[in-house]
Amino acid sequence: MIEAGELLEWEEIFGHRSGTPAEPVRRALGAGIDVLLELDVTGARHVREVMPRAVLILLEPPTMQELERRLRSRGTETEEGLARRLAKADRELEQREAFDVVIVNDDAERAADEVAAIIDASPQVDGLPEATPGLQPEGKAEGTAKGKKGSSSP
């Protein structure tokens, strides 16, 4: 899929490949349906390369301490995994300038309402090219990109 340009974006994250198949996004956009993708910073940058009019939204934690608290409360991370995720989040948050909008996720309902308002106010973007060759992995932060436009969230 990578070599054939069938992925909108992809990269290796913590030893696992992750990507977004382009065809479902292409079909939805062609039908006039908005698409919302959850991506990291690198994925969002790749989407911007392919879809320059995409709206990128960064959801950031109120503080790094709160992010750590949230990750610990899941109970799914080893100490080593938690340290890697926090370091990655810190690097990603330094790249705020790559996004059109930054929303502090201190209240989930308010943050979701803000994202919904941005989506509603954004014009539908054009579809994707038939293939998206040449997208190379870098390091990713979690994120979201929207067919109308997009976003990302640590």
PDB file of all heavy atoms in Angstrom, residues 17 74 85 153:
ATOM      1  N   ARG A  17       3.766   0.077  12.286  1.00  0.00           N
ATOM      2  CA  ARG A  17       3.353   0.949  11.188  1.00  0.00           C
ATOM      3  C   ARG A  17       1.887   1.300  11.344  1.00  0.00           C
ATOM      4  O   ARG A  17       1.066   0.464  11.683  1.00  0.00           O
ATOM      5  CB  ARG A  17       3.558   0.262   9.840  1.00  0.00           C
ATOM      6  CG  ARG A  17       4.991   0.207   9.431  1.00  0.00           C
ATOM      7  CD  ARG A  17       5.119  -0.329   8.038  1.00  0.00           C
ATOM      8  NE  ARG A  17       6.524  -0.340   7.643  1.00  0.00           N
ATOM      9  CZ  ARG A  17       6.946  -0.839   6.514  1.00  0.00           C
ATOM     10  NH1 ARG A  17       6.092  -1.372   5.662  1.00  0.00           N
ATOM     11  NH2 ARG A  17       8.229  -0.810   6.225  1.00  0.00           N
ATOM     12  N   ARG A  74      -5.254   5.434  32.652  1.00  0.00           N
ATOM     13  CA  ARG A  74      -5.658   4.368  31.733  1.00  0.00           C
ATOM     14  C   ARG A  74      -5.154   3.012  32.196  1.00  0.00           C
ATOM     15  O   ARG A  74      -5.756   1.992  31.894  1.00  0.00           O
ATOM     16  CB  ARG A  74      -5.090   4.628  30.329  1.00  0.00           C
ATOM     17  CG  ARG A  74      -5.657   5.816  29.629  1.00  0.00           C
ATOM     18  CD  ARG A  74      -4.980   5.948  28.282  1.00  0.00           C
ATOM     19  NE  ARG A  74      -5.391   7.132  27.592  1.00  0.00           N
ATOM     20  CZ  ARG A  74      -4.867   7.532  26.444  1.00  0.00           C
ATOM     21  NH1 ARG A  74      -3.904   6.831  25.867  1.00  0.00           N
ATOM     22  NH2 ARG A  74      -5.293   8.628  25.861  1.00  0.00           N
ATOM     23  N   ARG A  85       5.862   8.206  25.503  1.00  0.00           N
ATOM     24  CA  ARG A  85       4.685   8.971  25.071  1.00  0.00           C
ATOM     25  C   ARG A  85       4.756  10.427  25.525  1.00  0.00           C
ATOM     26  O   ARG A  85       4.415  11.332  24.780  1.00  0.00           O
ATOM     27  CB  ARG A  85       3.399   8.318  25.559  1.00  0.00           C
ATOM     28  CG  ARG A  85       3.082   7.046  24.823  1.00  0.00           C
ATOM     29  CD  ARG A  85       1.699   6.539  25.175  1.00  0.00           C
ATOM     30  NE  ARG A  85       1.446   5.300  24.499  1.00  0.00           N
ATOM     31  CZ  ARG A  85       0.984   5.201  23.263  1.00  0.00           C
ATOM     32  NH1 ARG A  85       0.731   6.281  22.554  1.00  0.00           N
ATOM     33  NH2 ARG A  85       0.767   4.022  22.714  1.00  0.00           N
ATOM     34  N   SER A 153      -4.279  15.655  18.130  1.00  0.00           N
ATOM     35  CA  SER A 153      -4.428  15.785  19.576  1.00  0.00           C
ATOM     36  C   SER A 153      -3.501  14.892  20.368  1.00  0.00           C
ATOM     37  O   SER A 153      -3.542  13.700  20.201  1.00  0.00           O
ATOM     38  CB  SER A 153      -5.861  15.486  19.981  1.00  0.00           C
ATOM     39  OG  SER A 153      -6.072  14.102  19.996  1.00  0.00           O
TER      40      SER A 153
END
